[in-house]
Amino acid sequence: MRQPATIKDVAQHAGCGVASVSRVLNGSGPASAALRKRVLAAADELGFEFSEIGRSLQSSTTSTIGCVVPSLANPVYADAVQGAQETFQAQGYQTLLVCTSYNAELELNAIRTLMAKQVDGFVLTVSDALSSEGLKSIQRREVPHCLLFNMPPGNEESWSVDDRSAAKSVADAFHNAGHKHVGFLALKFKTSDRARQRYEGFVEGCAICKMQKPALLEINEDSQNLTELLQGFLTENPTLTGIFVSNDFLALATIRSARKLGLKVPSDLSIVGFDGIDVGTMVEPSLATIVTDPKMMGSGAAGTVLSIINGTSKPTQPDPEQSFSFRGGGSLAPPGAERTDDEKAATSSPSNNPTQKNAEIQPERST
């Protein structure tokens, strides 16, 4: 098998020194038009390409950025990664992507692997920014980095949504619709500090609105029994008329589970999500939710990392209160809306009326 051409081969073929070849191919110094023509022709004829490993050894950089997110199943992370990747590519950087499945151990291993590959920086969403061992490792080595969606601890750089304020606006929406007792459904807080902050803001918002403290249901990211968990949750909290779900992807799954239990959304149970993914406007009922701009945040986080690497000005972040907006939708309505008195009696919670469990199941929609 033919060995790849070396820079010495190019120099011999072009009839010049190695330093001259390096200047021409790197564009790093003066060279006559004739010399440049001979070197480029020799490199093309021999099929010479610079070794990226050799470049990185010489420059102490790899032109790669580590991107760590929990999952791409949730469109929010997919959009954010795309925004980051486009910004990095425009500056000549490639993105090395790893998904951690909301697992702190996988997160740590992913960060260690990327650091072993000597990435020049990180854009990352960690399970918990206050306790992440992977983040601490990055900090100790002083690798340029920016958090994405995590609220920053200390002086950390981060592009994120004001989760607490957004959750308060959801409490206002439920209150304005006439709800008195609602719940909060989310991934376990130990795997998502975003969910925890949204819950804390929601609790505060409900208190301000003189509503009952929201009931809480935490689930695993890979929970396959959401319908069963939802039924138990409603059985334990029979006065619930609405649920704030910590992300749209899970909110759509919750609507599907509610239908499996014979519940109508929103007349039996209102559902509000968080993120504003496009599919939420394409289902029936449309999903009431907090709208964010994940692609912009991914791009902003990437720009922040590049500014740290290059020593340039950081991109300007939007005001925290402008990082989200509430979008109304058909999944939120007053309790018992669009039902007659007879219907109210006939559609009591299936957890309390087993014979009603499957009476009103509607066709599932792809989410």
Side-chain angles (χ1 to χ4, degrees):
M1 187 174 181
R2 183 181 176 183
Q3 293 296 317
T6 68
I7 194 170
K8 289 183 179 180
D9 296 329
V10 176
Q12 290 176 355
H13 202 73
C16 63
V18 169
S20 296
V21 174
S22 178
R23 286 199 306 275
V24 171
L25 297 182
N26 281 307
S28 58
S32 68
L35 175 62
R36 183 175 291 105
K37 183 177 180 180
R38 294 202 316 271
V39 168
L40 293 176
D44 183 61
E45 185 175 337
L46 296 174
F48 173 78
E49 293 182 0
F50 269 119
S51 165
E52 291 300 327
I53 296 175
R55 282 182 187 270
S56 66
L57 290 174
Q58 290 181 346
S59 64
S60 298
T61 64
T62 60
S63 295
T64 57
I65 303 291
C67 185
V68 180
V69 294
S71 171
L72 291 184
N74 188 332
V76 168
Y77 292 115
D79 287 348
V81 168
Q82 182 176 349
Q85 180 173 276
E86 290 175 357
T87 298
F88 285 129
Q89 284 180 334
Q91 297 298 317
Y93 286 83
Q94 294 300 314
T95 305
L96 301 182
L97 173 65
V98 181
C99 297
T100 61
S101 300
Y102 297 90
N103 183 299
E105 184 176 352
L106 291 178
E107 177 184 296
L108 176 59
N109 290 337
I111 290 171
R112 284 175 171 170
T113 298
L114 290 168
M115 285 199 294
K117 293 182 179 296
Q118 297 183 322
V119 295
D120 297 333
F122 281 90
V123 165
L124 69 166
T125 302
V126 296
S127 295
D128 190 325
L130 292 174
S131 62
S132 171
E133 291 299 323
L135 179 58
K136 291 176 184 177
S137 181
I138 292 172
Q139 292 167 336
R140 285 194 296 269
R141 297 196 184 188
E142 298 183 346
V143 181
H145 63 281
C146 183
L147 291 169
L148 179 62
F149 299 119
N150 298 108
M151 288 297 288
N155 295 321
E156 283 293 306
E157 296 289 346
S158 179
W159 280 67
S160 60
V161 177
D162 186 344
D163 290 304
R164 292 175 185 269
S165 295
K168 288 181 185 178
S169 71
V170 174
D172 288 339
F174 274 119
H175 174 70
N176 292 337
H179 293 265
K180 303 296 184 183
H181 188 202
V182 292
F184 184 80
L185 193 161
L187 299 181
K188 289 188 179 296
F189 293 162
K190 68 179 181 180
T191 66
S192 174
D193 58 4
R194 287 82 64 207
R196 183 181 68 242
Q197 289 153 5
R198 290 166 195 172
Y199 174 66
E200 291 169 352
F202 193 47
V203 169
E204 185 177 348
C206 287
I208 293 172
C209 293
K210 309 296 183 184
M211 298 166 64
Q212 293 185 50
K213 181 178 179 179
L216 173 63
L217 174 60
E218 295 180 73
I219 68 170
N220 293 316
E221 192 270 338
D222 59 352
S223 291
Q224 301 297 315
N225 58 337
L226 177 59
T227 303
E228 181 181 340
L229 293 172
L230 179 63
Q231 182 177 10
F233 185 54
L234 295 174
T235 299
E236 294 171 2
N237 301 277
T239 62
L240 286 187
T241 56
I243 298 177
F244 174 26
V245 186
S246 65
N247 67 66
D248 284 354
F249 197 61
L250 184 54
L252 294 171
T254 303
I255 290 176
R256 182 174 60 185
S257 289
R259 285 172 170 164
K260 286 183 178 181
L261 295 175
L263 295 171
K264 291 181 178 179
V265 176
S267 57
D268 294 317
L269 187 69
S270 284
I271 303 289
V272 176
F274 194 111
D275 285 328
I277 63 177
D278 290 341
V279 72
T281 65
M282 303 174 190
V283 296
E284 179 61 38
S286 59
L287 182 64
T289 188
I290 293 292
V291 177
T292 65
D293 190 345
K295 188 172 182 180
M296 178 272 292
M297 287 191 285
S299 179
T304 297
V305 172
L306 291 172
S307 72
I308 297 171
I309 293 173
N310 299 322
T312 55
S313 299
K314 298 172 185 175
T316 303
Q317 295 196 40
D319 185 276
E321 294 189 1
Q322 302 298 317
S323 64
F324 68 89
S325 61
F326 182 82
R327 183 181 71 206
S331 65
L332 172 63
E338 301 178 358
R339 289 190 298 171
T340 66
D341 289 340
D342 289 341
E343 286 176 322
K344 290 180 183 179
T347 56
S348 60
S349 171
S351 58
N352 296 322
N353 184 2
T355 62
Q356 188 65 24
K357 225 180 236 190
N358 298 314
E360 297 176 352
I361 295 178
Q362 299 179 21
E364 294 182 19
R365 297 180 181 272
S366 174
T367 60

